[in-house]
Amino acid sequence: LLGTVLGVRTLTIVRSAGTVHKVRAAQRAARFVPGFTRRMSVATTEPIEKVIAVVNAYRPHVINGYGSYLEVLFRTVKARGMKMHLPGVIAYSADAMTTAGRRLIEDEFGVPVLSAYTAVEAFKIGFTCEERTGLHLHDDLTHVRIVGPDGENLPTGSKGRVVISNLVNRGTVLLNYQMNDLAALSGETCPCGRTLRLLRGLEGRVEDILTLADGRLVDPRSVHNVLIPEGLLQYQLIQHSPARFELRLATVDRDTFELTSRSVVPSLQRLFGPSAKIEAVYYADRLPTGPGDKFRAVISHVRQCEDREWTERP
């Protein structure tokens, strides 16, 4: 896609001090020969104007990041008519990008979008095929099974829960780990010529992008950066209207909930603006899952109509 191998400039837009930074630091410390790829990173917590300024100054060939954040980035550039250097390719992982977001980046900006199926428990699981027939699996790195409710393997083509075994980490063996993702294995041969198995219909960490009353877009990762205090077991943010939010918190006990809510609600208020009304609700143990036993941490029941009036989604 880039037409070059040496001197590729990569910009990674992720949460500061995240797993990617730790892994890259370990790689740099252990590497005898320097890598050919030059890398720079910027945090998702930075103002979007600063992120765009970094992109324009560094002029990366590749931009990596969370799917939801990169979608917000390009939507903001289009909505505000901002000037941003366009990379040769966009690569995302960690969470999903909507189909509309992918089309926006590819059709209107002309930048190919690739995705990788990754996890902290097994760094590389699958990658986008240029034929767009699905995700090719890294069978030599991570073994993938698709199982039903009884834990037994499902036949090819049947959608079920993804179960992985990490074949690389021999220090901490991880076998038959349920990812809480849904997908199906394909039995078809890919036109690209690879013989690696294909994964299709992946439903992973799908979360909504929040559109506020003033038109600003907020990606789920920005919410996550606020909701990571100690003692918080699980959270779910639900947008009922452009300025009304329900924050569900599962904590170790009621006292921790009171302490946590007093900490995170003002932070969300600053993120969403002074007009936002945020109601914190206490849950013990864990939060309920949605259809297909999937959990979504950020949900919006609001859509923006063509006439700019706000309505609740059915």
Side-chain angles (χ1 to χ4, degrees):
L1 285 173
L2 298 177
T4 182
V5 176
L6 302 180
V8 172
R9 295 186 300 276
T10 299
L11 177 67
T12 302
I13 310 176
V14 293
R15 181 171 62 88
S16 58
T19 303
V20 171
H21 291 84
K22 298 173 184 177
V23 171
R24 296 253 168 86
Q27 290 174 337
R28 286 193 297 270
R31 184 183 290 140
F32 179 74
V33 178
F36 292 115
T37 300
R38 289 177 285 174
R39 298 183 183 274
M40 177 179 286
S41 63
V42 60
T44 56
T45 51
E46 296 288 353
I48 204 160
E49 292 82 3
K50 180 176 179 180
V51 172
I52 293 174
V54 172
V55 172
N56 290 335
Y58 189 55
R59 301 181 64 82
H61 297 94
V62 180
I63 294 181
N64 287 322
Y66 308 121
S68 60
Y69 181 88
L70 294 176
E71 180 173 341
V72 167
L73 175 65
F74 278 86
R75 286 186 182 278
T76 302
V77 169
K78 178 187 176 182
R80 298 185 185 177
M82 304 173 76
K83 300 295 183 181
M84 185 178 76
H85 164 78
L86 298 179
V89 65
I90 290 289
Y92 74 89
S93 59
D95 66 0
M97 179 183 292
T98 67
T99 301
R102 178 192 288 270
R103 288 174 180 166
L104 168 73
I105 297 173
E106 292 192 332
D107 297 344
E108 299 195 30
F109 289 91
V111 181
V113 177
L114 305 177
S115 62
Y117 186 21
T118 63
V120 174
E121 296 83 6
F123 289 125
K124 293 186 177 182
I125 302 174
F127 62 93
T128 300
C129 173
E130 61 270 23
E131 296 289 340
R132 303 301 175 93
T133 56
L135 292 166
H136 281 293
L137 295 176
H138 294 283
D139 282 324
D140 56 334
L141 304 178
T142 305
H143 180 66
V144 174
R145 297 194 299 128
I146 304 297
V147 304
D150 57 359
E152 296 297 322
N153 290 347
L154 292 177
T156 299
S158 298
K159 179 170 285 191
R161 196 176 300 277
V162 178
V163 175
I164 64 169
S165 294
N166 188 330
L167 305 179
V168 177
N169 189 346
R170 301 181 183 181
T172 304
V173 178
L174 188 66
L175 301 177
N176 294 319
Y177 179 82
Q178 292 201 23
M179 292 291 294
N180 286 329
D181 296 334
L182 301 176
L185 289 171
S186 172
E188 298 179 10
T189 302
C190 184
C192 74
R194 295 183 181 91
T195 58
L196 296 171
R197 292 186 300 164
L198 278 171
L199 194 70
R200 287 183 173 172
L202 178 64
E203 298 178 18
R205 187 184 301 167
V206 180
E207 297 168 330
D208 291 346
I209 293 173
L210 305 175
T211 309
L212 306 183
D214 60 5
R216 286 188 299 121
L217 301 175
V218 176
D219 69 288
R221 285 285 156 175
S222 296
V223 176
H224 173 74
N225 290 338
V226 172
L227 296 169
I228 52 174
E230 187 175 349
L232 180 58
L233 303 177
Q234 207 175 17
Y235 74 85
Q236 187 175 59
L237 181 74
I238 303 175
Q239 183 185 33
H240 294 287
S241 72
R244 186 168 70 87
F245 299 85
E246 177 186 350
L247 178 61
R248 299 176 175 180
L249 301 176
T251 55
V252 293
D253 52 40
R254 185 81 191 197
D255 289 341
T256 304
F257 165 77
E258 297 293 343
L259 183 64
T260 300
S261 60
R262 286 198 298 268
S263 170
V264 300
V265 169
S267 298
L268 286 175
Q269 189 81 55
R270 288 191 293 271
L271 180 64
F272 297 151
S275 64
K277 295 179 175 58
I278 305 166
E279 178 189 4
V281 182
Y282 171 66
Y283 278 80
D285 190 18
R286 63 175 300 178
L287 298 176
T289 56
D293 201 30
K294 297 295 295 180
F295 178 79
R296 294 166 62 195
V298 178
I299 300 173
S300 177
H301 293 306
V302 174
R303 64 182 176 87
Q304 190 174 16
C305 301
E306 294 296 327
D307 58 1
R308 298 260 175 202
E309 291 183 356
W310 293 90
T311 61
E312 290 197 4
R313 284 177 176 164

